[in-house]
């Protein structure tokens, strides 16, 4: 069972596309969030979402009207509603593409808090144009990236300086056992930070790995300034 969470405004098309993209089924549940009091256009959009969900067998659909734009209160309301459901979904899918933008950060933060509790929370951002791909971010993986240890960061930095290095070459340059490097490489691949390619299985940073490398540079500057 998965839980879908949507902010909802005057249109429900983003939510319906996400349900289709993830092949939603009758076991899944839906929470839609809007500002209180819900206006007629929002109620119509929610009714349309409900009808589409019922066609695929989803009957557990909730509309939460939040009477505040205060960040903390919005987050607390979302978490409280989740606790009231008393469920343990295998995945929480949060689509911030529709509805009021004031809820976007609160939904991201709520998903991040649930990731801290061990839930797999996935953030979805759909583009306005069909010419661009939907962005999907696993917040639990983001949490693991933020928890990277010093040795993982050293490997990332070494790959950046010597892209295409093999495990054996990294082992020699960092003076670390091959087995240790191999285990770290496996972890970094799972986080989509590195990739291996070519006949020699050379190791390269992914786009996400490059971002983490740049973030580490910013962190190092902050530490020096302190």
């Amino acid at each position: 069972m998965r839980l879908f969470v949507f902010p909802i405004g005057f249109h429900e098309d983003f939510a319906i596309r996400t349900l289709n993209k993830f092949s939603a089924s009758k076991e899944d549940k839906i929470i839609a969030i809007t500002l209180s009091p819900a206006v007629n256009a929002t109620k119509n959009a929610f009714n349309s979402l409900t009808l589409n969900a019922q066609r695929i067998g989803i009957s557990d659909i909730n509309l939460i009207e939040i009477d505040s734009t205060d960040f903390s209160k919005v987050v607390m309301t979302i978490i409280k509603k989740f606790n009231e459901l008393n469920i343990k979904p295998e995945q929480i899918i949060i689509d911030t593409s529709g509805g009021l933008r004031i809820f976007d950060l609160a939904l991201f933060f709520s998903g991040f808090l649930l990731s801290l509790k061990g839930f797999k929370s996935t953030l979805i951002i759909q583009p306005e144009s069909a010419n661009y791909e939907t962005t999907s971010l696993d917040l639990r993986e983001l949490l693991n990236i933020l928890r990277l240890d010093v040795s993982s960061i050293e490997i990332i930095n070494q790959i950046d300086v010597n892209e295409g290095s093999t495990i054996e070459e990294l082992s020699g340059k960092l003076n670390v056992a091959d087995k240790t490097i191999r285990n770290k490489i496996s972890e970094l691949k799972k986080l989509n930070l590195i990739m291996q390619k070519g006949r020699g299985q050379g190791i390269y940073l992914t786009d996400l790995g490059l971002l983490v490398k740049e973030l580490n540079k910013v962190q190092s500057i902050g530490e020096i300034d302190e």
Side-chain angles (χ1 to χ4, degrees), residues 5-9 31-35 62-66 74 78 99-100 103 107:
V5 184
F6 307 106
I8 192 164
I31 291 178
I33 298 170
T34 193
L35 192 63
N62 300 273
L63 177 64
I64 302 177
E65 297 184 36
I66 301 178
V74 173
I78 294 170
L100 296 174
F103 291 143
L107 283 168

Side-chain angles (χ1 to χ4, degrees), residues 127-134:
E128 294 287 343
S129 171
N131 295 326
Y132 298 95
E133 293 185 1
T134 297

Side-chain angles (χ1 to χ4, degrees), residues 72-118:
S72 297
K73 289 183 179 179
V74 173
V75 172
M76 285 191 292
T77 301
I78 294 170
I79 296 298
K80 181 180 179 182
K81 181 60 181 179
F82 178 81
N83 288 334
E84 288 175 354
L85 290 175
N86 194 29
I87 57 174
K88 292 184 177 180
E90 62 189 52
Q91 185 179 17
I92 302 170
I93 301 167
I94 302 170
D95 190 335
T96 62
S97 308
L100 296 174
R101 293 292 179 251
I102 57 174
F103 291 143
D104 290 356
L105 182 58
L107 283 168
F108 172 85
F109 193 70
S110 300
F112 194 75
L113 290 177
L114 290 168
S115 294
L116 287 171
K117 292 294 185 181

Side-chain angles (χ1 to χ4, degrees), residues 182-198:
R182 200 175 301 277
N183 290 338
K184 288 293 182 182
I185 291 299
S186 178
E187 293 173 6
L188 294 173
K189 284 176 70 175
K190 288 178 181 178
L191 293 174
N192 193 31
L193 297 179
I194 63 170
M195 58 184 172
Q196 289 179 280
K197 61 182 181 180

Side-chain angles (χ1 to χ4, degrees), residues 43-183:
K43 291 178 180 178
N44 290 336
F46 178 72
N47 289 337
S48 178
L49 172 61
T50 299
L51 289 173
N52 277 273
Q54 288 175 341
R55 289 192 187 102
I56 55 179
I58 300 177
S59 57
D60 197 337
I61 309 165
N62 300 273
L63 177 64
I64 302 177
E65 297 184 36
I66 301 178
D67 61 358
S68 173
T69 57
D70 179 84
F71 175 78
S72 297
K73 289 183 179 179
V74 173
V75 172
M76 285 191 292
T77 301
I78 294 170
I79 296 298
K80 181 180 179 182
K81 181 60 181 179
F82 178 81
N83 288 334
E84 288 175 354
L85 290 175
N86 194 29
I87 57 174
K88 292 184 177 180
E90 62 189 52
Q91 185 179 17
I92 302 170
I93 301 167
I94 302 170
D95 190 335
T96 62
S97 308
L100 296 174
R101 293 292 179 251
I102 57 174
F103 291 143
D104 290 356
L105 182 58
L107 283 168
F108 172 85
F109 193 70
S110 300
F112 194 75
L113 290 177
L114 290 168
S115 294
L116 287 171
K117 292 294 185 181
F119 292 99
K120 181 179 181 181
S121 302
T122 303
L123 186 72
I124 303 296
I125 305 173
Q126 296 186 49
E128 294 287 343
S129 171
N131 295 326
Y132 298 95
E133 293 185 1
T134 297
T135 299
S136 178
L137 178 63
D138 188 326
L139 297 181
R140 191 166 57 179
E141 287 185 3
L142 176 60
L143 181 62
N144 289 333
I145 289 172
L146 294 174
R147 289 172 171 170
L148 285 175
D149 57 22
V150 173
S151 59
S152 296
I153 295 296
E154 288 178 347
I155 291 173
I156 288 174
N157 290 337
Q158 188 60 236
I159 295 171
D160 179 54
V161 175
N162 298 285
E163 62 178 15
S165 294
T166 63
I167 288 176
E168 292 75 17
E169 289 169 340
L170 289 171
S171 175
K173 288 169 183 172
L174 295 172
N175 195 27
V176 177
D178 282 9
K179 182 179 180 180
T180 301
I181 294 292
R182 200 175 301 277
N183 290 338

